[in-house]
Amino acid sequence: MMSSPSSGPERHRRSGRPERPSPWLRLLPGISPKRRGFVLAWWGFTLTFGGMRLLTWLIHIDVAGVGDMSAGGVHIHHYVWGILLLVVVGAAGLVERSARARAWMGLAYGVGLALIIDEAALLISLEDVYWDTQGGVSIAIAIAVIAVAGSVLALTRGRRASRADQDDDA
């Protein structure tokens, strides 16, 4: 019986060059390629939310060399970058479906969503309430997202990835 080109030990791209194994396979062993994007979205969200809170706090206390981003004298809030990132992820998701792309899109999705959720209170009130009491809405939403998504990932954790899932991991 002849094997297909992609079923042998060394997989090849359509160009004939061997594919490199996904870096996510080494970072997340045992996580199926179909689930990997969700795990990376959760990590991306959690780390980006924490990082943005730290960065905005450093701006707020006026640490030297750290400041707001603006264009033409207008402050550009980080939710704008989150929306743009989600637009790119959405467009890429319509085109690319490989396991490697799903992992990268999952990570980018989590980052983009965190940038938006971090300023949810501002978007709800249409005023810059980031450091006001009303700004706590953003923190509450983010903590809820982290807790619910993390719980769902933990509760739905199945057995280790099957060999078929790992073969899908290029």
Side-chain angles (χ1 to χ4, degrees):
M1 178 190 297
M2 292 185 61
S3 64
S4 67
S6 64
S7 66
E10 184 175 295
R11 295 171 59 147
H12 294 274
R13 294 184 183 143
R14 289 183 183 150
S15 66
R17 294 184 309 234
E19 287 189 10
R20 292 178 304 177
S22 171
W24 304 118
L25 184 58
R26 288 188 308 275
L27 180 65
L28 299 170
I31 306 292
S32 76
K34 291 180 174 135
R35 187 177 175 83
R36 198 168 293 136
F38 292 107
V39 172
L40 288 167
W42 181 67
W43 280 5
F45 182 92
T46 303
L47 295 174
T48 301
F49 178 75
M52 287 311 300
R53 280 284 151 172
L54 175 62
L55 178 63
T56 54
W57 177 71
L58 292 173
I59 292 168
H60 185 69
I61 64 170
D62 202 24
V63 170
V66 180
D68 288 330
M69 180 178 284
S70 59
V74 176
H75 172 69
I76 300 174
H77 289 272
H78 50 272
Y79 72 81
V80 172
W81 304 112
I83 291 169
L84 292 174
L85 189 53
L86 290 186
V87 166
V88 170
V89 168
L94 294 172
V95 178
E96 184 58 56
R97 306 270 165 101
S98 71
R100 180 177 290 197
R102 281 194 316 264
W104 284 108
M105 286 187 289
L107 182 62
Y109 179 83
V111 169
L113 187 61
L115 293 172
I116 295 168
I117 296 294
D118 188 44
E119 293 194 314
L122 180 151
L123 292 168
I124 292 167
S125 68
L126 298 178
E127 294 180 27
D128 195 352
V129 294
Y130 195 87
W131 294 109
D132 297 342
T133 305
Q134 291 173 295
V137 169
S138 297
I139 296 171
I141 294 171
I143 290 171
V145 167
I146 292 166
V148 169
S151 296
V152 168
L153 287 170
L155 292 172
T156 60
R157 174 85 165 102
R159 57 192 169 80
R160 294 182 60 88
S162 69
R163 181 67 186 147
D165 283 341
Q166 290 175 353
D167 286 343
D168 182 38
D169 196 27

